[in-house]
Amino acid sequence: SPRRSNWTAPALPGTKFLFPQTTTMEPQKQRYAGKFKLESHDATFEDVLKVQGESWVLIKAIRHVPKTKSLTVEQNLVKDDVVAAGLIHLQADHPIVPTENARQHALEKGLPSSLNGRKCVSASWWEDGCLVLFNHEAKTGMDMYIRHALSEDGATLTCTLKVEKGGKTASTVDTWRRV
């Protein structure tokens, strides 16, 4: 039977198809492994950084620098490494937790990690053929969900980033090309 999820779709035009309400299959996990180069941010990218509490200078600088993303998928762990021209280096190990009540499992079984120097707990799960990475920063109460959808040919990775913090929510969509 299909499993329900706690993921709610961001209100972004043209992205509704990425977020079906149930999941009935497991993806081919190794397809997600590899290195990707950022092709584009959508118009709401800066809104996400504002909700995260980033400085105005960083927000303006980070939009235009080259970024790479490396994903390593192991049996029970996903390693995510994003580098933005030396300004930001986000590296986290995300243990794979069950999709059912995923956020709660993540808070209970997630691994300590760091988002640009800020301590958080990280976890991941498979949902609707997509990889979801989750980070929770206890100090600020921020939750970050990054939903990775891989094209059929494996060349394009679409990442929908949703940040919730202090009653504010922002979402953005990034498109990455495999290198």
Side-chain angles (χ1 to χ4, degrees):
S1 71
R3 295 181 302 228
R4 288 261 173 220
S5 161
N6 62 352
W7 175 269
T8 55
L12 293 173
T15 61
K16 186 175 180 182
F17 73 95
L18 292 174
F19 304 99
Q21 293 300 310
T22 61
T23 183
T24 57
M25 61 178 235
E26 288 293 315
Q28 297 173 351
K29 297 173 183 176
Q30 285 304 316
R31 291 185 63 228
Y32 282 82
K35 187 171 183 176
F36 300 86
K37 182 177 179 182
L38 183 72
E39 277 193 346
S40 65
H41 293 297
D42 73 6
T44 58
F45 176 70
E46 290 183 10
D47 295 338
V48 168
L49 296 176
K50 288 176 188 173
V51 170
Q52 286 180 261
E54 301 297 351
S55 72
W56 180 85
V57 172
L58 182 63
I59 290 171
K60 294 303 175 189
I62 200 69
R63 177 178 267 296
H64 303 289
V65 299
K67 295 165 200 73
T68 60
K69 176 181 197 66
S70 297
L71 288 171
T72 305
V73 181
E74 298 174 359
Q75 181 66 26
N76 294 310
L77 188 70
V78 176
K79 296 180 179 189
D80 183 36
D81 188 17
V82 178
V83 178
L87 293 175
I88 291 182
H89 186 192
L90 306 175
Q91 187 174 16
D93 291 347
H94 298 80
I96 298 172
V97 297
T99 303
E100 231 12 80
N101 300 312
R103 183 182 182 278
Q104 188 60 38
H105 284 290
L107 294 175
E108 293 170 2
K109 298 176 182 169
L111 291 176
S113 59
S114 173
L115 291 174
N116 205 28
R118 298 186 311 247
K119 293 180 181 179
C120 65
V121 173
S122 300
S124 63
W125 55 89
W126 297 100
E127 182 174 289
D128 302 315
C130 297
L131 171 64
V132 178
L133 302 182
F134 171 78
N135 298 294
H136 173 76
E137 187 180 305
K139 184 176 180 180
T140 63
M142 180 180 74
D143 282 346
M144 179 188 301
Y145 300 85
I146 311 165
R147 185 175 179 100
H148 298 69
L150 193 61
S151 63
E152 276 193 41
D153 66 2
T156 304
L157 184 66
T158 303
C159 295
T160 302
L161 171 63
K162 177 181 171 186
V163 175
E164 300 171 344
K165 180 180 171 186
K168 296 179 183 177
T169 301
S171 300
T172 190
V173 177
D174 295 337
T175 304
W176 301 78
R177 177 72 57 193
R178 190 178 296 273
V179 292

